[in-house]
């Protein structure tokens, strides 16, 4: 039986940081739609290049394209132990598509975690973030080059102050309704993301374990 997690939250909440760590520690597949798009842009994939302008101004890219990327990724064998989604679903249409995929996979509970952080802190984090220009990894706060590949550090195009404001608006209008789509499910949890990353990690692990164990007990009792 797999374990499947959605890391929800606004831009800069720490979804990618926590999704990467949790997936590594539990042997799950991490799928970050933002990372997949940025990597495809670096590789000059024509479809991703066509989506770049939307990303650079803080808009979402087309639902059909993103749903196809995630569905395809989840069909590969490394998704069998389960997955952690970072940045998907971001629209109600994407959440509905994921429900269809989950039904077909029939492989363990789906735990949804909302990582909450006040807007002022999100703006501060994104304004200060640097990523590796070569491989896209988030930079370590004290390093002057990428800890993974030694590449030079740059600002992400959509971390420009004006674009961050737009991303936060898009989050409020389009992605917040996804939280309402999930909120009444017994596996929906909220974590305070405005704490040190290690503390967020501890609380997140406890919430996810609790939600998945209750879902499995409920399933066994049926
Ligand atoms: P995406 O890459 O998903 O960006 P995002 O959701 O805006 O998220 P971020 O990567 O900015 O933040 P995060 O929450 O992952 O935080 P992180 O851990 O990096 O999407 C980019 C674009 O792609 C979208 O705008 C859209 O155009 C397109 N796209 C992607 N998915 C899509 C979809 N499903 N549908 C349509 N379009 C889609 O941390 C941020 C910073 O904070 C880092 O510097 C980190 O070190 C730091 N930090 C993390 N945790 C803490 C902490 N606890 N305390 C202090 N600092 C912390």
């Amino acid at each position: 039986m797999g374990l499947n997690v959605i890391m929800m939250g606004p831009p800069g909440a720490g979804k990618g940081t926590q999704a990467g760590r949790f997936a590594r520690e539990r042997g799950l597949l991490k799928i970050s739609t933002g990372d997949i798009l940025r990597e495809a842009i670096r590789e000059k994939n024509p479809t991703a290049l066509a989506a770049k302008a939307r990303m650079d101004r803080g808009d979402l890219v087309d639902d059909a394209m993103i749903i196809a990327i995630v569905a395809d990724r989840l069909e590969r064998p490394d998704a069998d132990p389960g997955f952690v989604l970072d940045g998907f679903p971001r629209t109600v249409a994407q959440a509905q598509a994921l429900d269809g995929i989950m039904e077909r996979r029939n492989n363990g509970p789906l735990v949804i975690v909302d990582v909450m952080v006040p807007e002022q802190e999100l703006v501060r984090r994104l304004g200060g973030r640097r990523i590796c220009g070569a491989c896209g990894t988030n930079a370590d706060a004290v390093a002057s080059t990428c800890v993974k590949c030694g590449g030079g550090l740059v600002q992400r195009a959509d971390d420009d102050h004006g674009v961050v404001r737009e991303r936060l608006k898009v989050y409020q209008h389009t992605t917040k309704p996804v939280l309402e789509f999930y909120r009444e499910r017994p596996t929906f949890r909220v974590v305070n993301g405005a704490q040190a990353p290690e503390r967020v990690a501890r609380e997140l692990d406890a919430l996810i374990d609790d939600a998945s164990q209750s879902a499995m007990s409920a399933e066994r009792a049926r």
Side-chain angles (χ1 to χ4, degrees):
M1 188 70 96
L3 169 61
N4 309 292
V5 178
I6 305 176
M7 215 62 83
M8 299 275 311
K15 304 181 293 294
T17 304
Q18 296 297 338
R21 176 202 60 81
F22 189 82
R24 248 188 336 270
E25 289 176 6
R26 305 293 180 104
L28 305 174
L29 174 68
K30 177 197 159 193
I31 302 178
S32 160
T33 42
D35 286 351
I36 291 173
L37 290 168
R38 282 185 291 277
E39 193 181 334
I41 290 168
R42 280 196 296 279
E43 289 169 352
K44 308 218 179 318
N45 171 292
T47 318
L49 284 173
K52 185 177 183 306
R54 297 187 69 83
M55 293 173 71
D56 286 352
R57 61 172 188 264
D59 282 344
L60 297 185
V61 309
D62 184 50
D63 275 342
M65 173 184 170
I66 288 285
I67 292 167
I69 289 173
V70 173
D72 174 65
R73 199 60 199 83
L74 286 176
E75 271 177 18
R76 301 194 210 160
D78 57 355
D80 287 352
F83 58 76
V84 186
L85 288 171
D86 157 30
F88 181 95
R90 262 175 142 101
T91 65
V92 171
Q94 293 177 17
Q96 287 165 336
L98 181 63
D99 273 353
I101 294 172
M102 291 303 295
E103 218 172 295
R104 289 192 292 280
R105 282 171 61 86
N106 189 24
N107 181 27
L110 179 65
V111 177
I112 306 106
V113 185
D114 179 22
V115 184
M116 282 186 69
V117 175
E119 190 162 312
Q120 207 185 343
E121 170 66 4
L122 300 171
V123 171
R124 189 195 67 76
R125 286 184 192 177
L126 296 178
R129 170 168 57 186
R130 295 294 176 272
I131 63 163
C132 174
C135 74
T137 304
N138 271 351
D140 190 280
V142 290
S144 56
T145 53
C146 176
V147 288
K148 197 168 157 198
C149 76
L153 304 182
V154 296
Q155 185 175 42
R156 218 168 93 173
D158 60 351
D159 280 347
D160 166 86
H161 186 73
V163 183
V164 166
R165 289 278 168 213
E166 185 57 31
R167 284 161 67 198
L168 291 168
K169 264 195 232 157
V170 170
Y171 174 77
Q172 289 295 332
H173 292 150
T174 316
T175 306
K176 270 239 169 135
V178 180
L179 292 177
E180 300 320 311
F181 180 86
Y182 287 128
R183 197 176 295 281
E184 298 307 320
R185 296 195 184 184
T187 50
F188 180 84
R189 298 286 185 279
V190 178
V191 70
N192 174 8
Q195 315 180 74
E198 308 71 39
R199 180 105 195 240
V200 179
R202 273 202 305 280
E203 293 188 7
L204 201 64
D205 289 7
L207 292 172
I208 294 173
D209 286 338
D210 171 66
S212 65
Q213 275 155 22
S214 346
M216 285 192 284
S217 310
E219 182 65 31
R220 275 195 296 272
R222 273 212 253 153

